[in-house]
Amino acid sequence: MKNKIEKHRWNVVCVKKYTYPMPNPIEFFVESKNLLSAAALAKKRLRNLDDDWKIKTIYWLDPFWYNKEEK
């Protein structure tokens, strides 16, 4: 039996602080099946950075873009 897993591309926007004046944010993407695992992957990636970045927004821009993997 083949199990199909659809991985979506989630865009993550991170900032250093939420108050005014807000510094320039960084943006990157992670690939995961749902929002919760995308947040966990983004948090893991931010842990590797030296600065204290916080996740501001995670969004899924294109619902028709996904990567199919077969196991």
Side-chain angles (χ1 to χ4, degrees):
M1 182 175 161
K2 293 184 179 181
N3 186 10
K4 293 183 180 179
I5 300 174
E6 295 179 356
K7 288 193 173 182
H8 303 283
R9 180 179 283 181
W10 298 87
N11 292 336
V12 181
V13 178
C14 301
V15 295
K16 285 196 176 186
K17 63 179 184 175
Y18 295 116
T19 59
Y20 182 80
M22 187 178 294
N24 292 335
I26 60 171
E27 186 172 357
F28 57 90
F29 70 89
V30 293
E31 292 181 2
S32 69
K33 187 175 179 180
N34 55 20
L35 178 62
L36 184 62
S37 60
L41 288 172
K43 187 82 170 172
K44 185 177 180 181
R45 187 177 289 184
L46 287 177
R47 214 178 296 146
N48 294 335
L49 296 176
D50 293 335
D51 300 328
D52 51 346
W53 291 97
K54 300 172 189 169
I55 297 174
K56 180 182 176 190
T57 309
I58 299 178
Y59 61 94
W60 180 29
L61 191 60
D62 188 7
F64 298 109
W65 186 95
Y66 58 88
N67 187 8
K68 288 186 179 178
E69 292 182 0
E70 294 186 12
K71 285 190 172 183

